[in-house]
Amino acid sequence: MNKIVLAGVYTFLQLTSFANDGAFFAKGNQLIPISESEISVKKEILTLKKIKHDYIEVSVYYEFFNPNEDKSLIVGFEAFSPMGDVNGAPKNGLHPYMSDFTVDMNNTILKYDVSYVHDSLYSQEGKIESLDLDTFEGRTHGNYVDFYYVYHFKANFKKGINIIKHTYKYDLSGGICYNYNFEYVLTAANRWGNNQIDDFTLIIDPGEFESFNVENSFFKDSSDWIVTGIGTAESTIVENRAFTTFHIQKGNIIFHSKNFRPSGELYVNSLYCDHGTPTNDLPFSYYVQNGLFEPTTDFSRKIFKNLPFARRGYIFKNRELKEYFEGMSWYIPNPNYVPNVSELHTLEKEWIEKYR
């Protein structure tokens, strides 16, 4: 019965059209020394928090160790330009899709400058040469631009341990087949003095009721992660690449490593189709549910109406509903859950009312 329903109900999502198959807004990046340095990274706690369906909130806690006397160093943050169905030109001199960039070093807020650079040779003897976009012969506006942004500041490292707290936000990228995706450059950490992070922790908080994939680029498999709260992790293949798929009802995922020398970057995506072919799953995320085609049978309407309760693990007494939702990869049975409409998200309340 379940297979028949999947074929005939609704499972196909309406794909949002993007002029260039999507919108890539920004990529997260480590702080890097502009010139060589003996300063090492003793500890880093990187926290990525998805806020609603709008942006990623990044906060990083660093402990740097300076083995020598006090010294000043120019530290940079490389921000890749947007591309796709977006305009990559600066907005008020800043990256157009990043905001709230702050650096706190040893309890002092540091000032920073922003430069536009064309390639990796932008730094000479610790100084950054910024492009003049008025005379630059490359592309400076439109869907693709020929430069990227470097946020840079002067950091005074005292001898011993120095603490830097770094925060910023960037808009959530997405496109055809992607509910959302985001990236973070981890390998830049290898540019510090000890070519590693002695103690590294990565925390990803996706928000409630989210399914997403993390590419196995810097870790072996799901056993390298801890799932806090309510959720599951499993190995999967997406577009011939090894990923770990997480279904998080509430909580976050944590990766921890000592003497961490990343050989790959963090790549996270949430797919709702594969090469244009819709998946067989109802969406775990309520931000995606309105993209479904309208149900065509009484049973499919019943499935839609009960989706919010299935997300929370309700064990259905109706045999057909029970079998159907047990076929969803994100379904986590919870014998203690008692449906309560008042506790649902506003989007879910509207959803139930629509299919009452």
Side-chain angles (χ1 to χ4, degrees):
M1 178 63 185
N2 197 26
K3 291 183 179 178
I4 295 175
V5 172
L6 285 175
V9 178
Y10 60 84
T11 318
F12 303 105
L13 290 165
Q14 298 171 336
L15 304 182
T16 303
S17 296
F18 289 93
N20 293 288
D21 292 335
F24 171 77
F25 290 115
K27 179 187 296 186
N29 208 332
Q30 297 270 351
L31 297 181
I32 57 171
I34 296 302
S35 58
E36 285 192 41
S37 172
E38 295 181 352
I39 295 173
S40 62
V41 187
K42 303 297 290 182
K43 185 174 185 178
E44 177 182 347
I45 302 174
L46 168 62
T47 303
L48 304 173
K49 184 175 183 179
K50 187 172 75 68
I51 305 299
K52 296 182 179 179
H53 207 54
D54 301 324
Y55 59 88
I56 299 294
E57 185 178 78
V58 182
S59 60
V60 196
Y61 171 89
Y62 292 98
E63 289 183 7
F64 291 97
F65 179 69
N66 177 16
N68 301 313
E69 297 303 317
D70 297 3
K71 67 180 300 184
S72 294
L73 187 69
I74 300 299
V75 176
F77 172 91
E78 297 171 349
F80 291 82
S81 291
M83 65 180 66
D85 191 23
V86 294
N87 188 344
K91 187 174 182 179
N92 298 322
L94 305 175
H95 189 291
Y97 300 103
M98 280 179 48
S99 61
D100 297 341
F101 186 95
T102 67
V103 179
D104 180 319
M105 182 172 188
N106 297 327
N107 296 317
T108 299
I109 300 296
L110 303 186
K111 295 181 180 179
Y112 62 87
D113 294 311
V114 179
S115 295
Y116 317 122
V117 301
H118 186 50
D119 56 37
S120 60
L121 301 178
Y122 63 82
S123 172
Q124 300 294 329
E125 298 180 353
K127 296 181 180 179
I128 297 177
E129 295 293 333
S130 184
L131 296 171
D132 183 346
L133 297 186
D134 291 332
T135 59
F136 179 54
E137 295 181 354
R139 293 168 294 185
T140 61
H141 294 80
N143 300 137
Y144 299 94
V145 298
D146 293 333
F147 65 90
Y148 59 102
Y149 300 78
V150 176
Y151 287 59
H152 52 96
F153 53 90
K154 182 179 180 181
N156 296 315
F157 289 90
K158 65 184 180 181
K159 185 175 181 178
I161 294 293
N162 294 263
I163 295 175
I164 290 183
K165 300 174 185 177
H166 176 218
T167 66
Y168 61 98
K169 300 173 183 175
Y170 63 93
D171 290 1
L172 203 60
S173 302
I176 292 178
C177 283
Y178 286 95
N179 178 19
Y180 60 82
N181 63 285
F182 60 89
E183 303 174 47
Y184 192 95
V185 178
L186 296 171
T187 57
N190 298 331
R191 293 160 69 172
W192 286 96
N194 52 349
N195 303 123
Q196 68 175 34
I197 304 169
D198 294 351
D199 188 331
F200 176 73
T201 301
L202 167 62
I203 304 170
I204 300 179
D205 179 355
E208 62 178 11
F209 306 110
E210 289 289 345
S211 295
F212 57 95
N213 308 300
V214 181
E215 185 173 7
N216 298 10
S217 56
F218 60 92
F219 62 95
K220 184 178 64 175
D221 53 38
S222 60
S223 65
D224 292 324
W225 292 85
I226 296 173
V227 177
T228 69
I230 304 173
T232 63
E234 59 185 348
S235 298
T236 187
I237 301 295
V238 179
E239 298 179 349
N240 298 318
R241 293 152 66 186
F243 282 77
T244 296
T245 297
F246 296 92
H247 302 293
I248 304 300
Q249 189 178 122
K250 184 177 295 184
N252 52 42
I253 62 174
I254 301 173
F255 170 83
H256 178 255
S257 177
K258 293 288 186 71
N259 302 317
F260 182 55
R261 298 190 179 193
S263 57
E265 316 301 359
L266 171 66
Y267 179 71
V268 179
N269 69 46
S270 175
L271 293 168
Y272 52 77
C273 66
D274 184 10
H275 295 294
T277 302
T279 67
N280 287 333
D281 269 7
L282 274 171
F284 200 24
S285 171
Y286 40 69
Y287 293 113
V288 186
Q289 61 192 16
N290 286 329
L292 294 168
F293 284 128
E294 289 297 317
T296 58
T297 68
D298 289 341
F299 183 59
S300 61
R301 290 181 64 86
K302 187 179 294 186
I303 290 172
F304 273 40
K305 185 175 67 174
N306 284 282
L307 174 58
F309 308 116
R311 286 192 181 108
R312 291 158 176 80
Y314 179 69
I315 299 177
F316 293 91
K317 297 178 177 61
N318 178 284
R319 181 180 60 83
E320 290 181 314
L321 285 175
K322 184 175 184 295
E323 289 180 356
Y324 182 83
F325 283 112
E326 286 177 349
M328 296 295 99
S329 59
W330 46 259
Y331 180 70
I332 305 173
N334 179 3
N336 297 317
Y337 174 66
V338 177
N340 187 340
V341 174
S342 66
E343 295 177 351
L344 300 180
H345 189 278
T346 300
L347 293 175
E348 294 177 300
K349 292 177 182 178
E350 294 172 353
W351 177 262
I352 289 178
E353 187 62 31
K354 181 178 179 181
Y355 295 105
R356 186 179 297 278

